[in-house]
Amino acid sequence: MNVTFSEKSAWGSLAALALVAYWYFPKAFAVASSGDEPVKLIVISVICIVVLILIEVVYHVVIASTGRSSSDERDALFDLKASRNGGFVLGFGLFSLVGHIILSSIPEGMSQPGALSIAVWILLTITVSEIAKLGFQIYYYRVGS
Amino acid sequence: MVGTRVRNNIRALRFDHGEMTQQELADRVGVTRQTIAAIEKQKYSPSLEAAFKIAAVFGEPLDAVFSYEPASR
């Protein structure tokens, strides 16, 4: 099969992260907007982290046992380029969030985003940037660089 | 497809060297078979070090294996 261990790893991480994010963020935003049960947010966050780690470990054990797990200069280059692009997404997301917080404080009487909401938005930005990084990595493997 | 301007004749050289497989070349150069396949398809430009190693495997100078196609104006 014409797929390296690193590309298989990127595909698996992308699928696992997207799946967990799809489950986590609607629940996290619901808890953050109600604002009365921060402990619930911690519980679902811990569950998601544990599930994500378990999926990643099992998947990587499986792909490592079914083929070569070496990596080379091409894997390193694609990882670096994808990380750079993911960094741009992270920066854009965080600056947008900061801009939103500042702008929403200008009109008198406008509701401010709560601390929990800001925390979930930051987590969403980090997750989207990681998904973008993995997507770019796969793009470089498939299309070339 | 995003190609590179670095051309090569690795496929022909492999054939001339006892029909060497991509895996054999990859093992001797220290990269993955998929990287050799990507170089052959001109989807990836190898590092200078990897290019020298590939040329050394075939016992050829670098410019007998790789060439650069300048951008047309």
Side-chain angles (χ1 to χ4, degrees):
Chain A
M1 198 176 167
N2 211 20
V3 180
T4 61
F5 173 82
S6 300
E7 187 181 351
K8 287 180 195 167
S9 168
W11 276 109
S13 298
L14 179 65
L17 191 57
L19 195 73
V20 171
Y22 180 75
W23 182 83
Y24 173 76
F25 284 106
K27 287 179 173 51
F29 277 115
V31 172
S33 60
S34 67
D36 54 356
E37 291 179 281
V39 176
K40 198 175 171 185
L41 184 64
I42 296 169
V43 170
I44 61 169
S45 300
V46 170
I47 289 170
C48 281
I49 291 167
V50 170
V51 167
L52 191 59
I53 290 170
L54 281 176
I55 292 172
E56 290 268 10
V57 168
V58 170
Y59 177 74
H60 282 86
V61 166
V62 169
I63 61 170
S65 63
T66 55
R68 293 175 182 233
S69 59
S70 57
S71 61
D72 63 10
E73 60 173 45
R74 181 165 154 265
D75 299 313
L77 178 68
F78 291 172
D79 185 44
L80 281 172
K81 290 176 83 168
S83 295
R84 179 197 59 186
N85 296 342
F88 289 145
V89 174
L90 180 64
F92 177 78
L94 290 180
F95 272 109
S96 300
L97 184 59
V98 170
H100 172 71
I101 292 166
I102 292 170
L103 289 175
S104 66
S105 69
I106 293 173
E108 289 289 325
M110 193 169 171
S111 64
Q112 291 281 309
L116 277 182
S117 288
I118 293 170
V120 176
W121 274 106
I122 291 171
L123 277 176
L124 179 63
T125 305
I126 293 168
T127 305
V128 169
S129 73
E130 186 62 18
I131 287 172
K133 181 223 161 184
L134 293 164
F136 275 112
Q137 214 172 341
I138 292 165
Y139 170 82
Y140 290 133
Y141 278 116
R142 295 288 93 201
V143 178
S145 174
Chain B
M1 188 185 93
V2 180
T4 74
R5 292 203 190 101
V6 178
R7 306 286 177 245
N8 68 81
N9 51 4
I10 294 173
R11 192 184 293 267
L13 285 164
R14 280 197 299 112
F15 185 79
D16 292 343
H17 284 73
E19 298 190 9
M20 182 189 292
T21 63
Q22 288 180 339
Q23 188 63 64
E24 285 169 344
L25 178 59
D27 290 342
R28 290 177 69 175
V29 174
V31 297
T32 61
R33 185 188 64 75
Q34 289 82 0
T35 294
I36 296 295
I39 294 168
E40 283 189 2
K41 290 180 190 167
Q42 295 165 10
K43 286 171 74 176
Y44 173 68
S45 296
S47 68
L48 200 54
E49 187 179 353
F52 271 111
K53 282 181 180 174
I54 290 168
V57 168
F58 295 124
E60 300 278 354
L62 192 63
D63 60 357
V65 183
F66 295 97
S67 59
Y68 183 73
E69 186 178 274
S72 55
R73 295 192 177 191

